[in-house]
Amino acid sequence: MPARRFPGIHPFRHGKVEPVDLIALFNELFFDYTLRTVAMGAAVLGIVSGALGSFAVLRKQSLLGDAMSHAALPGVVLAFLLTRSKAPLVLVLGALIAGWLATLWLMNIVNRTRIKEDSALALVLSVFFGFGLVLLTYTQRLPDARQAGLDQFLFGQAAALLQRDVVTMAILSTLALTLLAVFWKEFKLLSFDREFGASLGFPMGVLDILLTTLLVLAIVIGLQAVGVVLMSAMVVAPAAAARQWTDRLGVMVVLSAIFGAAAGVSGAVISSLAQGFSTGPTVVLAASAIVVISILFASNRGLVWNWVRHQRSRRRLQLENVLTNLHLLASQHADATHGHSIEVLRAMSAQRGGVARSLAVLKERGWVENVGDNLWALTSEGISAAQKVIQERGFEPLPSSNIDGQSRAPEGDGGRAE
Amino acid sequence: MNAIEVTDLTVAYKDKPVLWDIDLEVPEGILMAIVGPNGAGKTTLLKAILGLVKPAAGQVLIYGKPYEQQRRLVGYVPQRGSVDWDFPTTVLDVVMMGRYGSLGWIRRPGRREHDQAIEALEKVGMAEFADRQISQLSGGQQQRVFLARALVQDSQIYFMDEPFQGVDATTERAIVALLQELRQAGKTVVVVHHDLQTVPEYFDWVTLLNVRRIASGPIEQVFSEENLRLTYGGRVAFLRDRSTEPHSPEDIQGAGEALSGHSSVSTREG
């Protein structure tokens, strides 16, 4: 198969073979310089954005991450223009300052004008990003060849990560995570109950700025690899996924970091195996996959389990209803073993359908028996089971007159059921 | 010495005064209600005393010293609705936050804080909920958790913002019992309150507030129809009629709402 190449996107491995040879893959992960560097870089950015993203998500600042990452672009380009250096630390510092200024500007707009936060976010994001794009195109026209590669900050180019980039990322991440650990208690207080924290004497404004700065730091760490456009996904996705699995802040932050790292490494590996898959977007897609899986299958909140639980309780309820309805019919009939038509039970059932299935289950348990053509009666075990249910519920189903009438003519046709 | 002394306190939002020239002297060991219509500045008064809102003018003294020096003596119960109850944390964890002030920077809560939190939860009847996620609590249980968090602060003065808001009768009785217990222990408790009917029953002092301080003092001296009319603006006559007959809490709540609803109009008149 001919390698498909997208303009501006360079897969860093060429012509790898499928099917995937796992041993060869692990070999490469540990010994191949490029893949190892990229995977480590992606893991580092996943860990730090996952951990700090948890706080952004809990403080309902998910979109702030988006604004910050877009706002970082002019900072990167300006840092280059001023220093003519592409050292990662210089560019990251530029991004940090720009992202931080954007955040301060945003807070000012929200606090001092009638403009609401969503509009202010859109405003700040587009102004900074637009300015960044203008600067970027201007820079690319410069005769200076050193500007080459600045555009990788747009969509990111994990494949171009060098060891020195990863080292810078790792040092900054360690710094951010250390501060997060040191001020853990204070940040938790800030995120949960800011005013109470202030009443205790903690300077919540300072803590807010510190935590926001750490978030900006986490974002700029990932910019080179994932790009300003997609970086906000790395802030939100692992945290949103982690929130599905736990109700503890500590667990959530650790889990979110693990999800971020997993997305980073798997994104790097997948893009190394598949031709033409750019690493940054692949990492984001991996993170999104984790979110989808978490939303569907998480132990407490997962939609699938919720659905299963709901169906189960619905079936149990229906089973009990059929049981108690039969009990009611029997109690109104002189002969307890008299059979009652399935149509009568259907008429008595609040839910549509499922009566036949419930009867089948009840029969399997030996609580009802089929005493004729679609005629059902409770066994003695069935009677005691029904009485137990009624006792548990604390009330008996209300006898209604039309059902009463039907129960005396169980042979009635199905058309009357409604 | 007075537990709380507020002098000339004025708070303005933009150029609209929310509190105007408030003087307040609260002696030690009393249970005091702050009542007034919606928008009267009750919550703002609490926040201004606690330094959460910056006053335009005025001074607040706690046992004769500025609040900043006396923080450890003050406990705070914010409005229940002021936080996100879906936050991923447990009841015990929230209660332990009450110890954060004494712990200071960086130090984490340990065994001692854990035991104090459990003890406080027992006092509010929530011990078996210690490991519960806070989103699984009912409104009354949330309020009890907030009270427990204030209890572990082990303060001399407590400020509570509408602790009876939206709680059931059982919780209301439990909170009242707790307030009385605090007073017996010599604490001073200031409560923002909405329900005029229960003021004489629950409290021994009252401050009537509507941007200005209308009156403040022992119930029997200041909780008069005259003062209520000044506070709520001529709409309290039916209060006395109703107070002679028994009624459900919903009725009373409704009466309070009705009162507050009218007040904004009458404030402008006065």
Side-chain angles (χ1 to χ4, degrees):
Chain A
M1 197 174 76
R4 280 211 298 148
R5 280 186 171 272
F6 298 100
I9 297 174
H10 318 284
F12 57 88
R13 295 294 302 171
H14 303 283
K16 268 326 280 183
V17 287
E18 61 268 9
V20 180
D21 181 348
L22 271 183
I23 294 169
L25 187 64
F26 275 111
N27 243 348
E28 274 191 35
L29 206 49
F30 287 109
F31 300 112
D32 180 286
Y33 172 81
T34 319
L35 181 54
R36 194 183 56 201
T37 311
V38 172
M40 275 178 61
V44 167
L45 92 87
I47 288 171
V48 69
S49 61
L52 283 153
S54 297
F55 282 90
V57 165
L58 289 176
R59 299 174 71 207
K60 304 182 176 61
Q61 291 182 331
S62 309
L63 283 172
L64 184 65
D66 204 22
M68 283 175 186
S69 64
H70 280 81
L73 187 62
V76 171
V77 186
L78 272 177
F80 168 77
L81 284 176
L82 290 176
T83 63
R84 296 286 158 145
S85 152
K86 280 203 320 187
L89 200 60
V90 171
L91 299 186
V92 160
L93 207 63
L96 193 64
I97 293 169
W100 204 66
L101 282 178
T103 311
L104 287 189
W105 190 38
L106 177 81
M107 286 174 173
N108 251 304
I109 292 177
V110 174
N111 289 338
R112 296 188 183 203
T113 70
R114 283 164 168 260
I115 299 171
K116 297 275 180 284
E117 191 161 5
D118 57 335
S119 313
L121 274 169
L123 192 71
V124 171
L125 184 151
S126 43
V127 168
F128 271 75
F129 190 53
F131 184 48
L133 284 179
V134 168
L135 281 177
L136 192 61
T137 34
Y138 165 76
T139 313
Q140 278 170 334
R141 298 256 172 85
L142 290 179
D144 191 340
R146 281 175 300 182
Q147 44 74 1
L150 271 188
D151 59 329
Q152 73 188 33
F153 278 91
L154 263 187
F155 298 110
Q157 208 175 67
L161 281 181
L162 302 174
Q163 197 151 24
R164 61 166 189 171
D165 299 324
V166 176
V167 168
T168 310
M169 287 166 74
I171 292 171
L172 289 175
S173 300
T174 311
L175 179 73
L177 293 178
T178 308
L179 284 171
L180 182 64
V182 166
F183 295 112
W184 176 263
K185 168 176 115 246
E186 287 77 12
F187 286 151
K188 182 161 74 179
L189 198 55
L190 172 72
S191 307
F192 176 64
D193 196 347
R194 187 190 174 114
E195 289 214 313
F196 183 72
S199 84
L200 294 178
F202 290 103
M204 295 323 251
V206 175
L207 284 169
D208 194 354
I209 290 173
L210 182 60
L211 187 53
T212 308
T213 307
L214 292 185
L215 181 62
V216 181
L217 190 62
I219 288 169
V220 300
I221 285 170
L223 281 189
Q224 197 190 352
V226 179
V228 298
V229 179
L230 288 176
M231 189 53 208
S232 67
M234 290 308 292
V235 172
V236 180
R243 183 67 187 93
Q244 296 293 319
W245 294 95
T246 178
D247 278 331
R248 304 285 154 99
L249 181 63
V251 180
M252 178 181 167
V253 170
V254 171
L255 208 55
S256 179
I258 292 172
F259 285 164
V265 173
S266 56
V269 169
I270 290 168
S271 73
S272 87
L273 294 173
Q275 289 290 336
F277 275 36
S278 171
T279 309
T282 312
V283 168
V284 170
L285 280 181
S288 313
I290 296 177
V291 173
V292 171
I293 291 169
S294 300
I295 288 177
L296 288 178
F297 297 105
S299 45
N300 285 328
R301 306 178 164 218
L303 294 180
V304 170
W305 300 139
N306 273 350
W307 185 81
V308 168
R309 263 200 299 270
H310 181 75
Q311 290 301 318
R312 250 187 224 151
S313 72
R314 220 178 85 120
R315 266 183 215 168
R316 211 196 67 211
L317 203 66
Q318 194 164 40
L319 200 76
E320 291 178 359
N321 278 343
V322 170
L323 191 66
T324 51
N325 285 342
L326 259 178
H327 184 257
L328 177 70
L329 292 173
S331 69
Q332 289 171 350
H333 209 277
D335 178 11
T337 57
H338 184 87
H340 299 277
S341 152
I342 188 167
E343 299 304 339
V344 177
L345 291 167
R346 280 200 180 121
M348 292 169 85
S349 160
Q351 294 157 315
R352 253 169 240 270
V355 173
R357 189 181 53 206
S358 297
L359 283 170
V361 174
L362 289 171
K363 189 183 177 191
E364 217 168 89
R365 292 190 192 172
W367 289 354
V368 299
E369 51 192 354
N370 200 338
V371 293
D373 182 23
N374 251 339
L375 293 179
W376 299 83
L378 286 173
T379 63
S380 52
E381 290 92 24
I383 291 173
S384 54
Q387 278 162 348
K388 213 176 128 206
V389 168
I390 291 166
Q391 206 173 18
E392 270 169 19
R393 287 187 184 175
F395 61 87
E396 288 195 51
L398 290 172
S400 79
S401 56
N402 74 324
I403 286 167
D404 214 26
Q406 282 180 2
S407 73
R408 295 216 175 83
E411 301 82 9
D413 59 349
R416 288 197 310 163
E418 292 295 314
Chain B
M1 189 192 296
N2 284 321
I4 309 162
E5 224 174 282
V6 177
T7 333
D8 299 336
L9 185 75
T10 297
V11 178
Y13 180 69
K14 304 248 156 105
D15 47 358
K16 188 175 152 241
V18 185
L19 289 174
W20 190 257
D21 203 15
I22 306 286
D23 290 311
L24 208 57
E25 283 176 10
V26 184
E28 187 174 29
I30 58 154
L31 265 179
M32 187 177 90
I34 300 178
V35 295
N38 285 344
K42 305 184 291 288
T43 297
T44 310
L45 176 58
L46 232 56
K47 287 187 177 175
I49 293 174
L50 291 163
L52 302 176
V53 168
K54 216 175 164 211
Q59 194 188 26
V60 176
L61 295 178
I62 304 290
Y63 286 108
K65 286 186 193 151
Y67 176 72
E68 288 71 33
Q69 295 170 30
Q70 304 282 52
R71 258 184 231 287
R72 295 289 119 76
L73 301 180
V74 177
Y76 175 41
V77 181
Q79 277 186 27
R80 186 159 53 81
S82 64
V83 302
D84 173 16
W85 288 95
D86 202 28
F87 195 84
T89 190
T90 60
V91 166
L92 187 73
D93 215 33
V94 171
V95 176
M96 281 199 290
M97 285 180 189
R99 297 304 305 163
Y100 282 12
S102 308
L103 282 169
W105 286 95
I106 298 165
R107 267 178 60 203
R108 303 281 175 89
R111 186 82 237 160
R112 206 172 122 229
E113 285 71 25
H114 177 272
D115 294 346
Q116 285 167 323
I118 293 286
E119 197 184 318
L121 279 172
E122 272 163 8
K123 266 190 207 157
V124 298
M126 290 280 292
E128 70 266 41
F129 292 88
D131 290 322
R132 202 63 83 80
Q133 211 273 323
I134 55 171
S135 65
Q136 297 167 3
L137 303 177
S138 71
Q141 290 168 341
Q142 291 173 353
Q143 193 63 59
R144 288 173 192 227
V145 170
F146 262 18
L147 284 168
R149 184 176 68 172
L151 287 180
V152 301
Q153 288 186 270
D154 196 21
S155 312
Q156 289 305 307
I157 305 173
Y158 285 98
F159 291 96
M160 305 186 179
D161 201 346
E162 305 224 11
F164 299 109
Q165 179 99 60
V167 302
D168 59 19
T170 324
T171 304
E172 180 153 340
R173 277 195 298 276
I175 296 175
V176 171
L178 189 71
L179 294 183
Q180 248 121 43
E181 208 177 295
L182 285 172
R183 180 184 45 192
Q184 263 148 35
K187 319 274 186 186
T188 311
V189 186
V190 177
V191 178
V192 170
H193 197 51
H194 231 107
D195 178 11
L196 291 177
Q197 302 290 348
T198 50
V199 167
E201 186 188 338
Y202 293 171
F203 301 96
D204 34 39
W205 271 50
V206 67
T207 291
L208 297 159
L209 188 77
N210 192 347
V211 183
R212 294 158 190 274
R213 193 205 76 178
I214 308 296
S216 181
I219 298 276
E220 57 274 16
Q221 286 173 28
V222 301
F223 199 65
S224 64
E225 205 178 308
E226 168 72 24
N227 280 335
L228 284 171
R229 185 172 293 125
L230 282 170
T231 313
Y232 288 89
R235 278 284 186 166
V236 280
F238 74 99
L239 255 180
R240 209 180 41 177
D241 307 339
R242 291 171 60 105
S243 63
T244 53
E245 56 201 61
H247 32 229
S248 67
E250 289 84 3
D251 273 355
I252 300 167
Q253 195 68 30
E257 298 296 297
L259 272 175
S260 331
H262 290 296
S263 62
S264 58
V265 181
S266 37
T267 318
R268 264 175 228 133
E269 289 166 2

